[in-house]
Amino acid sequence: MGNSRMRVEHDSMGPVEVPDTALYGAQTQRAVNHFQISGRPMPAAFIRALGHVKAACAQANRDLGLLPEKMAEAIIAAADAVSREEHVEHFPVDVFQTGSGTSSNMNANEVIATLASRHLGATVHPNDHVNLGQSSNDVIPTTLHVAAAVALRRQLIPAVLELADCIDERALSLAGLVKTGRTHLMDAMPVRLDQELGAWAQQLRYGAERLEDGFPRLVELAIGGTAVGTGVNAHPELGDRVARILSRRTGVMFVIKPSRFEGMAAQDAAVEMSGQLKTLAVSLMKICNDLRWMNSGPLAGLGEIRLPALQPGSSIMPGKVNPVVPEAVAMICARVMGNDVTIGIAGQSGNFQLNVMLPLMAHDLLESIELLARGIVLLREKAVAGLTVDESRLKAMLERNPILVTALNPVIGYEQGAAIAKRAYAEGRPVLEVALEMTDLDEAELRRLLDPMALTGPSVDSGGREGEV
């Protein structure tokens, strides 16, 4: 804590030395001493949510007549400060700690008790007062749900929809451009750029829908279940009141779980949401890889688009510029997929009434949400919004695409079409020229049949209605 002076604190196990400037007490210090593992404390989003939960519990207990007015106000003020990240340095407990998150719960209880005691001018006890009617076993799952729901609602879902809107805008501006479609990375029938980009936008909108689908279960809270779900030592109305208070504080509508036993024994809602995040990561990686392929070159690759040049791409090759943003976002996606494996393992790691990998699950779920949100903003601002199209290259490649002969199948048959395509490819000539030599069709008819724009099908306007191109 930047000060070598120590003080002695006591808990049920006896005395322990704590840095003199630390707001926390003995139980937090024991966790710091024992769990010097990763050097990674719990995420800031988790600590903010924990402050909200503690403030909501104090307010509910005050309203129920279980906490004196002035003491409750002191606790609420201290918890609010925690929720504003004013004392982050006093939350040093490692992610890899006791599986219930008891150390983090007590860390909050001790910090809030110290601040509240100073404000009140009297002793506020971390267990008897700050933790009144609570257990780590219901507080930590509740905090996980609150932190994730708030981050999704405020950060990730808006970011996904903004990227989808940006792609739609770019698609509309590029609607008249036709390019060679590709399947198996090989030339296929032509598509319009707005169709290709529209597929990306739809992927993202489905991703946002999937996140929304999991919301009804994520906003259910275990608070009020205390140690094993029975609610021992908590007022019967505590949970409902805390959910209502948290709804007002965060703008996200929380409710109490229909079974708090399920809410503490299992973490299926978090596992489900992680699965939706993984699906979103899969969509984003597909989009990033498309962007990288389309940008490849500029001479020996596809070279269809140019992404904004952001930095030199090589320490040895002058003038080289790489697709750094799609690469960075692809790495984020890989991390999210890995986190999903971890969260799945964590979700089944408990016995009977309690999951015992809660801190790890909270850390990885919140990391996935934050990384995706930031990566999506980066992709929108630094790649999609500024990409340009090499129209002449699109046209040149399209004209030499032998697969255009597919449009002649109904007229000349598959076998003759295949022969034309093979010759056109072997001689490096446009299909139109070869077809003029190998069929009885005149040039006007061939141009009509092989018109790339006509082969892309009807257009779709902004209202989703199909019409003629």
Side-chain angles (χ1 to χ4, degrees):
M1 303 301 295
N3 190 330
S4 60
R5 294 180 60 186
M6 305 294 283
R7 70 179 191 269
V8 176
E9 293 278 354
H10 295 80
D11 59 14
S12 60
M13 297 184 70
V16 61
E17 287 192 335
V18 177
D20 192 48
T21 56
L23 295 177
Y24 53 77
Q27 292 200 44
T28 302
Q29 187 63 48
R30 291 189 193 279
V32 171
N33 294 344
H34 298 324
F35 303 122
Q36 296 185 24
I37 300 173
S38 71
R40 285 179 286 173
M42 294 300 290
F46 183 87
I47 301 303
R48 289 196 301 269
L50 188 51
H52 282 302
V53 170
K54 290 296 175 180
C57 287
Q59 183 177 334
N61 281 320
R62 178 200 65 191
D63 296 344
L64 290 166
L66 302 176
L67 271 180
E69 180 80 23
K70 290 185 178 180
M71 179 179 288
E73 290 177 358
I75 293 172
I76 292 168
D80 282 343
V82 170
S83 73
R84 294 191 297 269
E85 298 184 56
E86 293 181 7
H87 305 289
V88 174
E89 69 275 18
H90 296 278
F91 287 84
V93 179
D94 203 277
V95 168
F96 299 98
Q97 54 171 289
T98 174
S100 62
T102 298
S103 297
S104 287
N105 184 41
M106 284 308 304
N107 189 174
N109 289 336
E110 289 177 342
V111 168
I112 292 169
T114 298
L115 293 171
S117 296
R118 292 176 181 177
H119 178 81
L120 189 64
T123 300
V124 176
H125 196 278
N127 297 82
D128 295 338
H129 301 136
V130 181
N131 201 59
L132 178 63
Q134 304 153 60
S135 165
S136 302
N137 299 352
D138 63 349
V139 166
I140 299 302
T142 294
T143 303
L144 188 165
H145 279 224
V146 170
V150 170
L152 285 165
R153 183 62 73 215
R154 294 181 181 176
Q155 293 175 267
L156 182 54
I157 293 176
V160 172
L161 295 175
E162 286 171 5
L163 177 57
D165 288 343
C166 178
I167 292 173
D168 274 339
E169 289 174 5
R170 296 311 315 275
L172 188 62
S173 70
L174 303 172
L177 299 181
V178 184
K179 58 164 280 183
T180 298
R182 292 180 184 86
T183 59
H184 304 270
L185 289 179
M186 305 300 286
D187 297 344
M189 292 297 288
V191 296
R192 298 193 309 274
L193 275 175
D194 65 296
Q195 294 170 324
E196 190 164 51
L197 271 64
W200 301 345
Q202 188 60 58
Q203 279 186 281
L204 293 167
R205 289 204 165 85
Y206 280 146
E209 287 179 15
R210 291 184 184 100
L211 297 176
E212 293 285 358
D213 288 345
F215 236 78
R217 289 164 293 286
L218 192 65
V219 297
E220 293 178 352
L221 307 180
I223 197 71
T226 64
V228 294
T230 59
V232 63
N233 291 349
H235 192 284
E237 297 179 19
L238 178 66
D240 286 324
R241 287 174 178 263
V242 168
R244 290 196 297 272
I245 294 167
L246 286 170
S247 298
R248 292 195 295 270
R249 293 178 70 91
T250 65
V252 177
M253 297 306 297
F254 293 103
V255 296
I256 293 303
K257 277 185 167 288
S259 170
R260 277 172 279 207
F261 297 99
E262 179 272 339
M264 294 159 60
Q267 294 303 315
D268 295 345
V271 173
E272 176 190 19
M273 190 57 71
S274 177
Q276 308 293 30
L277 295 172
K278 179 187 71 174
T279 303
L280 177 59
V282 168
S283 298
L284 279 170
M285 187 171 281
K286 194 275 182 191
I287 294 167
C288 288
N289 285 334
D290 282 355
L291 286 167
R292 292 162 69 191
W293 275 105
M294 294 165 72
N295 182 76
S296 62
L299 298 179
L302 297 182
E304 295 177 342
I305 66 170
R306 294 288 180 268
L307 294 172
L310 301 179
Q311 63 184 60
S314 173
S315 61
I316 191 172
M317 293 176 282
K320 194 171 190 295
V321 178
N322 297 328
V324 292
V325 168
E327 287 174 357
V329 176
M331 286 191 283
I332 287 173
C333 295
R335 178 71 172 197
V336 171
M337 294 175 198
N339 282 349
D340 181 61
V341 173
T342 300
I343 291 168
I345 294 170
Q348 56 84 51
S349 296
N351 303 102
F352 305 112
Q353 277 68 60
L354 185 66
N355 179 282
V356 290
M357 287 196 181
L358 290 168
L360 178 61
M361 186 177 297
H363 176 277
D364 283 13
L365 187 66
L366 293 173
E367 180 184 65
S368 291
I369 294 170
E370 182 168 358
L371 285 176
L372 284 171
R374 292 186 177 185
I376 287 170
V377 171
L378 179 69
L379 189 66
R380 174 173 58 83
E381 293 181 347
K382 302 291 186 177
V384 174
L387 70 82
T388 58
V389 178
D390 188 336
E391 296 184 32
S392 62
R393 190 171 177 90
L394 290 186
K395 183 179 180 182
M397 288 192 291
L398 188 61
E399 287 177 348
R400 305 182 82 84
N401 178 8
I403 306 302
L404 287 175
V405 78
T406 303
L408 303 182
N409 283 359
V411 180
I412 65 175
Y414 183 93
E415 296 298 333
Q416 189 175 9
I420 293 171
K422 290 178 181 179
R423 182 177 167 187
Y425 177 75
E427 298 177 2
R429 298 166 62 198
V431 168
L432 178 66
E433 290 182 11
V434 178
L436 274 172
E437 298 173 4
M438 295 181 64
T439 72
D440 295 330
L441 298 171
D442 60 33
E443 184 175 347
E445 180 66 3
L446 282 171
R447 288 190 181 281
R448 185 185 68 81
L449 292 171
L450 296 173
D451 178 14
M453 179 64 82
L455 293 175
T456 62
S459 65
V460 178
D461 67 21
S462 60
R465 296 177 296 274
E466 292 191 350
E468 293 303 319
V469 178

